[in-house]
Amino acid sequence: MGPIQTIEDILGMLRRRGLLMAAIILIGGAVSLMQALNMPRSYEAAAVIQVEMPRVSEDMVRVGSSVAAAQQIRLIEQRLMARDNIAALIDRHGLFADAEGLSQAQRIAAMRASIRILSNSAPGLGHDGALSSLVIFVQLGTPEAAAAVANDLANAVIDRGAAVQ
């Protein structure tokens, strides 16, 4: 068989192989649908916190200001991801209640794996580490749990940030 040159050649090819193509599409679609329905559900929620630059007076600059905002945020992130705080978060929201075979260490590791915290730098402010926002992503099995944990973490960041200042 040579190259396809006309519309009739294409139609002839489709007629000869149409049944095979339809079978492959149907079987592939059915297998894909079964695979998608058997996968565990996963929902992700995000909480965004806008970080304002601290207003520093001349006196504070001469005396020496406290830790930069970016360093404060990183310190708060580390405290949030501490073992005790993660364990309290799991207990407070009743997470992993159906996973009786998991130890406390495995639950904490799973919870840490489901949380991502991203710090975004403000565009145009140079490379001084100035932050413009903090985004907390939480991925869990139900949308309500993911949203509740993301909001809880965001509130903890705000509370600890206010306590530092």
Coordinates of all heavy atoms in Angstrom, one line a residue, residues 63-136:
V63 N 18.5 50.8 66.6 CA 18.6 49.9 67.7 C 18.8 48.5 67.2 O 19.4 47.7 67.8 CB 17.3 50.0 68.5 CG1 17.3 48.9 69.6 CG2 17.2 51.4 69.2
G64 N 18.2 48.2 66.0 CA 18.3 46.8 65.4 C 17.0 46.2 65.5 O 16.5 45.9 66.6
S65 N 16.4 46.0 64.3 CA 15.1 45.4 64.3 C 15.2 43.9 64.6 O 16.2 43.3 64.5 CB 14.4 45.7 63.0 OG 15.1 45.1 61.9
S66 N 14.0 43.3 64.9 CA 14.0 41.9 65.1 C 14.2 41.1 63.8 O 14.5 41.7 62.8 CB 12.7 41.5 65.8 OG 11.6 41.8 64.9
V67 N 14.0 39.9 63.8 CA 14.2 39.0 62.7 C 13.4 39.5 61.5 O 12.3 39.9 61.7 CB 13.8 37.5 63.1 CG1 14.1 36.6 62.0 CG2 14.6 37.1 64.4
A68 N 13.9 39.4 60.3 CA 13.2 39.8 59.1 C 11.9 39.0 59.0 O 11.8 37.9 59.5 CB 14.1 39.6 57.9
A69 N 11.0 39.5 58.2 CA 9.7 38.9 58.0 C 9.8 37.5 57.4 O 9.1 36.6 57.9 CB 8.8 39.8 57.2
A70 N 10.7 37.3 56.5 CA 10.8 36.0 55.8 C 11.4 35.0 56.8 O 10.9 33.9 56.8 CB 11.8 36.1 54.6
Q71 N 12.3 35.4 57.7 CA 12.8 34.5 58.7 C 11.8 34.2 59.7 O 11.7 33.0 60.2 CB 14.0 35.1 59.3 CG 15.2 35.2 58.4 CD 16.4 35.9 59.0 OE1 16.2 36.8 59.9 NE2 17.6 35.7 58.5
Q72 N 10.9 35.1 60.1 CA 9.8 34.9 61.0 C 8.9 33.9 60.5 O 8.4 33.0 61.2 CB 9.1 36.2 61.4 CG 9.9 37.1 62.2 CD 9.1 38.4 62.5 OE1 8.0 38.6 62.0 NE2 9.7 39.3 63.3
I73 N 8.5 34.0 59.2 CA 7.6 33.1 58.5 C 8.2 31.7 58.5 O 7.5 30.7 58.8 CB 7.2 33.6 57.1 CG1 6.5 34.9 57.2 CG2 6.5 32.5 56.4 CD1 5.1 34.8 57.8
R74 N 9.4 31.6 58.2 CA 10.1 30.3 58.2 C 10.1 29.6 59.5 O 9.9 28.4 59.7 CB 11.5 30.4 57.6 CG 11.5 30.6 56.1 CD 12.9 30.5 55.5 NE 12.8 31.0 54.1 CZ 13.2 32.3 53.8 NH1 13.6 33.1 54.7 NH2 13.1 32.7 52.5
L75 N 10.3 30.4 60.5 CA 10.3 29.9 61.9 C 8.9 29.5 62.3 O 8.7 28.4 62.9 CB 10.8 31.0 62.9 CG 10.9 30.6 64.3 CD1 11.9 29.5 64.5 CD2 11.3 31.8 65.2
I76 N 7.9 30.2 61.9 CA 6.5 29.8 62.2 C 6.2 28.5 61.4 O 5.5 27.6 62.0 CB 5.5 31.0 61.8 CG1 5.7 32.1 62.8 CG2 4.1 30.5 61.8 CD1 5.0 33.4 62.4
E77 N 6.6 28.4 60.2 CA 6.4 27.2 59.4 C 7.0 26.0 60.1 O 6.4 24.9 60.2 CB 7.0 27.3 58.0 CG 6.3 28.2 57.1 CD 7.1 28.3 55.8 OE1 7.8 27.3 55.4 OE2 7.0 29.4 55.2
Q78 N 8.2 26.1 60.6 CA 8.9 25.0 61.3 C 8.1 24.7 62.6 O 8.0 23.5 62.9 CB 10.3 25.4 61.7 CG 11.2 25.5 60.4 CD 12.6 26.0 60.8 OE1 12.9 26.5 61.9 NE2 13.5 26.1 59.8
R79 N 7.6 25.6 63.3 CA 6.9 25.3 64.5 C 5.6 24.6 64.2 O 5.1 23.8 64.9 CB 6.6 26.6 65.3 CG 7.8 27.2 65.9 CD 7.5 28.4 66.7 NE 8.8 29.0 67.3 CZ 8.9 30.3 67.7 NH1 7.8 31.1 67.6 NH2 10.0 30.7 68.2
L80 N 4.9 25.1 63.1 CA 3.7 24.4 62.7 C 3.9 22.9 62.3 O 3.0 22.1 62.6 CB 3.1 25.1 61.5 CG 2.4 26.4 61.7 CD1 1.9 27.0 60.4 CD2 1.2 26.3 62.7
M81 N 5.0 22.6 61.7 CA 5.3 21.3 61.3 C 5.9 20.4 62.3 O 6.3 19.3 62.1 CB 6.1 21.3 60.0 CG 5.4 22.0 58.8 SD 3.8 21.3 58.4 CE 4.4 19.9 57.4
A82 N 6.1 20.9 63.5 CA 6.7 20.2 64.6 C 5.7 19.0 65.0 O 4.5 19.1 64.8 CB 6.9 21.1 65.8
R83 N 6.3 18.0 65.5 CA 5.6 16.8 65.9 C 4.4 17.0 66.8 O 3.3 16.5 66.5 CB 6.6 15.8 66.5 CG 5.9 14.5 66.9 CD 6.9 13.5 67.6 NE 6.3 12.3 68.0 CZ 6.1 11.3 67.2 NH1 6.5 11.3 65.9 NH2 5.6 10.2 67.6
D84 N 4.6 17.8 67.8 CA 3.5 18.0 68.7 C 2.3 18.8 68.1 O 1.2 18.5 68.3 CB 4.0 18.8 70.0 CG 4.9 18.0 70.8 OD1 4.9 16.7 70.7 OD2 5.7 18.6 71.6
N85 N 2.7 19.7 67.3 CA 1.6 20.5 66.6 C 0.8 19.7 65.6 O -0.4 19.8 65.5 CB 2.2 21.8 65.9 CG 2.7 22.8 66.9 OD1 2.1 22.9 68.0 ND2 3.7 23.5 66.6
I86 N 1.6 18.8 64.8 CA 0.9 18.0 63.9 C 0.0 16.9 64.6 O -1.1 16.7 64.2 CB 1.9 17.2 63.0 CG1 2.7 18.3 62.1 CG2 1.3 16.2 62.1 CD1 1.9 18.9 61.1
A87 N 0.5 16.4 65.7 CA -0.3 15.4 66.5 C -1.6 16.1 67.0 O -2.7 15.5 67.0 CB 0.5 14.8 67.6
A88 N -1.4 17.3 67.5 CA -2.6 18.1 68.0 C -3.6 18.4 66.8 O -4.8 18.3 67.0 CB -2.2 19.4 68.6
L89 N -3.1 18.7 65.7 CA -3.9 18.9 64.5 C -4.7 17.7 64.1 O -5.9 17.7 63.8 CB -3.0 19.4 63.3 CG -3.7 19.9 62.1 CD1 -4.4 21.3 62.4 CD2 -2.7 20.1 61.0
I90 N -4.0 16.5 64.1 CA -4.7 15.3 63.8 C -5.8 15.0 64.8 O -6.9 14.6 64.4 CB -3.7 14.1 63.8 CG1 -2.7 14.3 62.6 CG2 -4.4 12.8 63.7 CD1 -1.6 13.3 62.6
D91 N -5.5 15.2 66.1 CA -6.5 14.9 67.1 C -7.7 15.9 67.1 O -8.9 15.5 67.2 CB -5.9 15.0 68.5 CG -4.9 13.8 68.8 OD1 -5.0 12.8 68.1 OD2 -4.0 14.0 69.6
R92 N -7.4 17.2 66.8 CA -8.4 18.2 66.8 C -9.4 18.0 65.7 O -10.6 18.3 65.8 CB -7.7 19.6 66.7 CG -8.6 20.8 66.9 CD -7.9 22.1 67.0 NE -6.8 22.3 66.1 CZ -5.5 22.4 66.5 NH1 -5.1 22.2 67.7 NH2 -4.5 22.6 65.6
H93 N -8.9 17.5 64.5 CA -9.8 17.3 63.4 C -10.2 15.9 63.2 O -11.0 15.6 62.2 CB -9.1 17.8 62.1 CG -8.9 19.3 62.1 ND1 -9.9 20.2 61.9 CD2 -7.8 20.1 62.4 CE1 -9.5 21.4 61.9 NE2 -8.2 21.4 62.3
G94 N -9.8 15.0 64.0 CA -10.2 13.6 63.9 C -9.7 12.9 62.7 O -10.4 12.1 62.1
L95 N -8.5 13.2 62.2 CA -8.0 12.7 61.0 C -7.4 11.3 61.3 O -7.0 10.9 62.4 CB -6.9 13.6 60.5 CG -7.3 15.0 60.2 CD1 -6.1 15.8 59.8 CD2 -8.4 15.0 59.1
F96 N -7.5 10.4 60.3 CA -6.9 9.1 60.3 C -7.6 8.2 61.3 O -7.1 7.2 61.8 CB -5.4 9.0 60.5 CG -4.6 9.9 59.6 CD1 -4.0 11.0 60.0 CD2 -4.5 9.5 58.2 CE1 -3.3 11.8 59.1 CE2 -3.8 10.2 57.3 CZ -3.2 11.4 57.7
A97 N -8.9 8.5 61.6 CA -9.6 7.7 62.6 C -10.0 6.4 62.1 O -10.0 5.4 62.8 CB -10.9 8.5 63.0
D98 N -10.1 6.3 60.8 CA -10.4 5.0 60.2 C -9.2 4.1 59.9 O -9.3 3.0 59.5 CB -11.2 5.2 58.9 CG -10.5 6.0 57.9 OD1 -9.5 6.7 58.3 OD2 -10.9 6.0 56.7
A99 N -8.0 4.7 60.1 CA -6.8 4.0 59.8 C -6.2 3.4 61.1 O -5.3 4.0 61.7 CB -5.8 4.9 59.1
E100 N -6.8 2.4 61.6 CA -6.4 1.8 62.9 C -5.0 1.2 62.9 O -4.4 1.1 64.0 CB -7.5 0.8 63.4 CG -8.8 1.5 63.7 CD -9.9 0.4 64.0 OE1 -9.5 -0.7 64.1 OE2 -11.1 0.8 64.1
G101 N -4.6 0.7 61.8 CA -3.3 0.1 61.7 C -2.1 1.0 61.7 O -1.0 0.5 61.8
L102 N -2.3 2.3 61.6 CA -1.2 3.2 61.6 C -0.8 3.7 63.0 O -1.6 4.0 63.8 CB -1.6 4.5 60.8 CG -1.9 4.4 59.3 CD1 -2.3 5.7 58.7 CD2 -0.6 3.9 58.6
S103 N 0.5 3.7 63.1 CA 1.0 4.2 64.4 C 1.0 5.7 64.4 O 0.7 6.3 63.4 CB 2.5 3.7 64.6 OG 3.3 4.4 63.6
Q104 N 1.2 6.3 65.6 CA 1.2 7.8 65.7 C 2.3 8.4 64.8 O 2.0 9.4 64.1 CB 1.4 8.2 67.1 CG 1.3 9.7 67.4 CD -0.1 10.2 67.2 OE1 -1.1 9.5 67.0 NE2 -0.2 11.5 67.3
A105 N 3.4 7.8 64.7 CA 4.5 8.3 63.9 C 4.1 8.2 62.4 O 4.4 9.1 61.6 CB 5.8 7.5 64.1
Q106 N 3.4 7.1 62.0 CA 3.0 7.0 60.6 C 1.9 8.1 60.3 O 1.9 8.6 59.2 CB 2.5 5.6 60.3 CG 3.6 4.6 60.3 CD 3.0 3.2 60.2 OE1 2.0 2.9 60.8 NE2 3.8 2.3 59.6
R107 N 1.0 8.3 61.2 CA 0.0 9.3 61.0 C 0.6 10.7 60.9 O 0.2 11.5 60.0 CB -1.0 9.3 62.2 CG -1.8 8.1 62.2 CD -2.7 8.1 63.4 NE -3.3 6.7 63.5 CZ -4.4 6.5 64.2 NH1 -5.0 7.4 64.9 NH2 -4.9 5.2 64.2
I108 N 1.6 11.0 61.7 CA 2.3 12.3 61.6 C 3.0 12.4 60.3 O 3.0 13.5 59.6 CB 3.2 12.5 62.8 CG1 2.4 12.7 64.1 CG2 4.2 13.7 62.6 CD1 3.1 12.7 65.4
A109 N 3.7 11.4 59.9 CA 4.4 11.4 58.6 C 3.4 11.6 57.4 O 3.7 12.4 56.5 CB 5.2 10.1 58.4
A110 N 2.3 10.9 57.5 CA 1.3 11.1 56.4 C 0.7 12.5 56.4 O 0.5 13.1 55.3 CB 0.2 10.1 56.6
M111 N 0.5 13.1 57.6 CA 0.0 14.4 57.7 C 1.0 15.4 57.1 O 0.6 16.4 56.4 CB -0.4 14.7 59.1 CG -1.2 16.0 59.3 SD -2.8 15.8 58.5 CE -3.2 17.5 58.2
R112 N 2.2 15.3 57.5 CA 3.3 16.1 57.0 C 3.4 16.1 55.5 O 3.6 17.1 54.8 CB 4.6 15.8 57.6 CG 4.8 16.3 59.0 CD 6.2 16.0 59.5 NE 6.4 16.6 60.8 CZ 7.2 16.0 61.7 NH1 7.9 14.9 61.5 NH2 7.3 16.6 62.9
A113 N 3.2 14.9 54.9 CA 3.3 14.7 53.5 C 2.1 15.3 52.8 O 2.2 15.7 51.6 CB 3.3 13.2 53.1
S114 N 1.0 15.5 53.5 CA -0.2 16.1 52.8 C -0.2 17.6 52.9 O -1.1 18.2 52.4 CB -1.5 15.5 53.5 OG -1.6 16.0 54.8
I115 N 0.8 18.2 53.6 CA 0.8 19.7 53.8 C 2.0 20.2 53.0 O 3.1 19.7 53.1 CB 0.9 20.0 55.3 CG1 -0.3 19.5 56.0 CG2 1.1 21.6 55.4 CD1 -0.1 19.7 57.5
R116 N 1.7 21.3 52.2 CA 2.8 22.0 51.5 C 2.6 23.5 51.9 O 1.5 24.0 51.8 CB 2.7 21.8 50.0 CG 3.1 20.5 49.5 CD 3.1 20.4 48.0 NE 1.7 20.7 47.6 CZ 1.3 21.4 46.5 NH1 2.2 21.9 45.8 NH2 0.0 21.6 46.2
I117 N 3.7 24.1 52.2 CA 3.7 25.6 52.5 C 4.6 26.3 51.5 O 5.8 25.9 51.5 CB 4.1 25.9 53.9 CG1 3.1 25.2 54.9 CG2 4.1 27.4 54.2 CD1 3.4 25.3 56.3
L118 N 4.1 27.2 50.7 CA 4.9 27.9 49.7 C 5.0 29.4 50.1 O 3.9 30.0 50.4 CB 4.3 27.7 48.3 CG 4.2 26.3 47.8 CD1 3.5 26.4 46.4 CD2 5.6 25.7 47.6
S119 N 6.2 29.9 50.0 CA 6.4 31.3 50.3 C 6.6 32.0 48.9 O 7.5 31.6 48.2 CB 7.6 31.6 51.2 OG 7.4 30.9 52.4
N120 N 5.9 33.0 48.6 CA 6.0 33.7 47.3 C 6.7 35.1 47.6 O 6.2 35.8 48.4 CB 4.7 33.9 46.6 CG 4.1 32.6 46.3 OD1 4.7 31.7 45.8 ND2 2.8 32.5 46.5
S121 N 7.7 35.4 46.8 CA 8.3 36.7 46.9 C 7.6 37.7 46.1 O 7.0 37.4 45.1 CB 9.8 36.6 46.4 OG 10.5 35.7 47.2
A122 N 7.6 38.9 46.6 CA 6.9 40.0 45.9 C 7.8 40.4 44.6 O 9.0 40.6 44.7 CB 6.8 41.2 46.8
P123 N 7.1 40.5 43.5 CA 7.8 40.9 42.3 C 8.3 42.3 42.3 O 7.6 43.2 42.9 CB 6.8 40.7 41.2 CG 5.5 40.7 41.8 CD 5.7 40.3 43.2
G124 N 9.5 42.5 41.9 CA 10.0 43.9 41.8 C 10.7 44.4 43.1 O 11.1 45.5 43.2
L125 N 10.7 43.6 44.1 CA 11.3 44.1 45.4 C 12.7 43.6 45.6 O 13.3 43.7 46.6 CB 10.5 43.6 46.6 CG 9.1 44.2 46.7 CD1 8.3 43.6 47.9 CD2 9.1 45.7 46.8
G126 N 13.3 43.0 44.5 CA 14.7 42.6 44.6 C 14.8 41.2 45.2 O 13.8 40.5 45.4
H127 N 16.0 40.9 45.5 CA 16.3 39.5 46.1 C 16.6 39.6 47.6 O 17.4 38.9 48.1 CB 17.4 38.9 45.3 CG 17.1 38.7 43.9 ND1 16.3 37.8 43.4 CD2 17.6 39.4 42.8 CE1 16.2 37.9 42.1 NE2 17.0 38.8 41.7
D128 N 15.9 40.4 48.3 CA 16.1 40.6 49.7 C 15.3 39.6 50.5 O 15.4 39.7 51.7 CB 15.9 42.0 50.2 CG 14.5 42.4 49.9 OD1 13.7 41.7 49.3 OD2 14.1 43.5 50.4
G129 N 14.6 38.7 49.9 CA 13.8 37.7 50.6 C 12.4 38.3 51.1 O 11.8 37.7 51.9
A130 N 12.0 39.4 50.6 CA 10.7 40.0 51.0 C 9.6 39.1 50.5 O 9.6 38.7 49.3 CB 10.6 41.4 50.4
L131 N 8.7 38.8 51.4 CA 7.6 37.9 51.0 C 6.3 38.7 50.7 O 6.1 39.8 51.3 CB 7.3 37.0 52.2 CG 8.4 36.0 52.5 CD1 7.9 35.1 53.7 CD2 8.7 35.1 51.4
S132 N 5.5 38.3 49.8 CA 4.3 38.9 49.5 C 3.1 38.0 49.9 O 2.0 38.5 50.3 CB 4.2 39.3 48.1 OG 4.1 38.1 47.3
S133 N 3.3 36.7 49.9 CA 2.2 35.8 50.3 C 2.7 34.5 50.7 O 3.8 34.1 50.4 CB 1.2 35.6 49.1 OG 1.8 34.9 48.1
L134 N 1.9 33.8 51.5 CA 2.2 32.5 52.0 C 1.0 31.6 51.6 O -0.1 32.0 51.9 CB 2.4 32.5 53.5 CG 2.9 31.3 54.2 CD1 4.3 31.0 53.8 CD2 2.8 31.4 55.7
V135 N 1.2 30.5 50.9 CA 0.1 29.6 50.5 C 0.3 28.3 51.2 O 1.3 27.7 51.1 CB 0.1 29.5 48.9 CG1 -1.1 28.7 48.5 CG2 0.2 30.8 48.2
I136 N -0.8 27.9 51.8 CA -0.8 26.6 52.5 C -1.7 25.6 51.8 O -2.9 25.9 51.6 CB -1.3 26.8 54.0 CG1 -0.4 27.7 54.7 CG2 -1.4 25.4 54.7 CD1 -0.9 28.1 56.1

